[in-house]
Amino acid sequence: MPSPKIIIANHKMNFNFKQLRSWLDVFLTEVNSNLLNKSKLYLAVPACNLYPLNQTLLELDLSQSIIPVAQSISPHLEGAYTGQISIKQLDLTAGAVLVGHSESREVSNFTNQDYGQMVRLALQAQKKVFFCIGESFEEYQNNQTFAKLAEQLSEIKDLLIAPNQISICYEPIWAIGSGIQPKVESILSIKNYLRQLVGEEFTILYGGSVNASNLESTVNFGLDGVLVGGASLDAREFAKIYNAIL
Ligand code: PGA
């Protein structure tokens, strides 16, 4: 039997906790609860929502099915880093982290080494890591995608040891939030290239303008799951995606 797909909802910088709670109520009404029992949903929320989300999931007895995910972490464990959040501080609230999402790469000066360090710290803290990589439109047009992905992966090569602790999320920057996606053949060849780089055991996900209507074409070529941003904000639409993909 094929293993269940991995689904991440990335709420980005949306919702206060009250809104997230309403989102959860609608999602739970619409989702196929058998699927939710079988396969986890990874829910990436702003850091301020991690603690109350975690508490709510415990109260609802859903903490095995829905895993709160931090959207970014610091490459440091503690110290004078105003505004950053250390993996140590997410100890009891996040089960997983996104590392290197292009929206956080864009507004920070972190280097590939820093992203490598984030992955290292998260793995040491026994958190699951979703490592995001992807090329710009210019790089895509200039056939530099493979080189860019290899460069971004180079800092974590030594860390690719435990396949169930780390997934690679291929997210072309130009496909995020744009409503545009690469051609199916292009995603397929990139997936095959990433397979060569990381090996057979690691899960490879796709993110970038995934919604309920393009889901079929996005997941039907052997990817291990999807990262859904904008379309995850509507709980009904997202439940449709979740129900369809697993
Ligand atoms: P999108 O975002 O689905 O809105 O393109 C994807 C992401 O957050 O990575």
Side-chain angles (χ1 to χ4, degrees):
M1 212 172 90
S3 43
K5 305 279 185 199
I6 297 175
I7 305 205
I8 309 170
N10 179 14
H11 281 179
K12 311 193 180 204
M13 198 179 70
N14 290 291
F15 300 157
N16 59 26
F17 185 66
K18 197 167 165 225
Q19 294 165 318
L20 175 57
R21 189 67 181 83
S22 311
W23 182 96
L24 199 57
D25 285 341
V26 177
F27 175 72
L28 291 173
T29 320
E30 302 286 321
V31 76
N32 175 335
S33 50
N34 288 335
L35 292 180
L36 200 55
N37 286 335
K38 268 198 263 161
S39 184
K40 298 179 199 321
L41 163 64
Y42 291 90
L43 185 51
V45 297
C48 56
N49 282 342
L50 285 169
Y51 178 76
L53 174 61
N54 197 50
Q55 290 301 105
T56 302
L57 294 173
L58 286 169
E59 277 159 31
L60 298 176
D61 201 16
L62 284 170
S63 57
Q64 299 302 311
S65 323
I66 301 182
I67 311 296
V69 180
Q71 295 179 350
S72 67
I73 52 163
S74 171
H76 309 285
L77 273 185
E78 60 197 355
Y81 302 104
T82 303
Q84 294 188 36
I85 296 178
S86 152
I87 192 74
K88 261 171 58 172
Q89 294 159 324
L90 299 175
D91 206 17
L92 303 173
T93 54
V97 293
L98 297 183
V99 173
H101 190 285
S102 64
E103 286 160 9
S104 63
R105 286 184 193 255
E106 229 171 69
V107 295
S108 67
N109 289 324
F110 292 132
T111 61
N112 280 338
Q113 284 92 323
D114 290 325
Y115 290 109
Q117 181 62 2
M118 293 174 202
V119 172
R120 190 168 292 109
L121 294 177
L123 294 177
Q124 279 165 5
Q126 319 237 308
K127 304 293 181 193
K128 188 170 174 66
V129 174
F130 296 107
F131 187 65
C132 304
I133 54 177
E135 81 288 359
S136 67
F137 190 58
E138 204 187 347
E139 288 161 336
Y140 175 74
Q141 279 184 317
N142 293 332
N143 288 326
Q144 292 166 337
T145 300
F146 285 4
K148 177 68 177 285
L149 300 180
E151 183 197 319
Q152 289 179 317
L153 277 173
S154 63
E155 283 303 324
I156 68 156
K157 273 213 144 156
D158 297 348
L159 303 170
L160 291 170
I161 296 162
N164 55 353
Q165 263 206 286
I166 177 160
S167 295
I168 307 300
C169 305
Y170 169 56
E171 299 202 287
I173 299 170
W174 51 277
I176 296 180
S178 63
I180 305 167
Q181 290 184 323
K183 294 206 173 72
V184 167
E185 313 82 68
S186 168
I187 301 183
L188 187 57
S189 80
I190 289 162
K191 184 206 83 179
N192 291 339
Y193 176 67
L194 290 173
R195 275 259 158 275
Q196 284 168 28
L197 292 183
V198 303
E200 285 300 317
E201 323 81 69
F202 286 86
T203 38
I204 298 176
L205 320 187
Y206 169 82
S209 295
V210 174
N211 59 39
S213 39
N214 63 24
L215 193 59
E216 276 290 296
S217 59
T218 326
V219 293
N220 268 353
F221 34 82
L223 285 158
D224 302 302
V226 286
L227 202 154
V228 186
S232 73
L233 296 178
D234 178 332
R236 272 193 191 86
E237 160 101 355
F238 182 66
K240 248 193 240 166
I241 296 177
Y242 186 91
N243 291 340
I245 207 170
L246 290 169

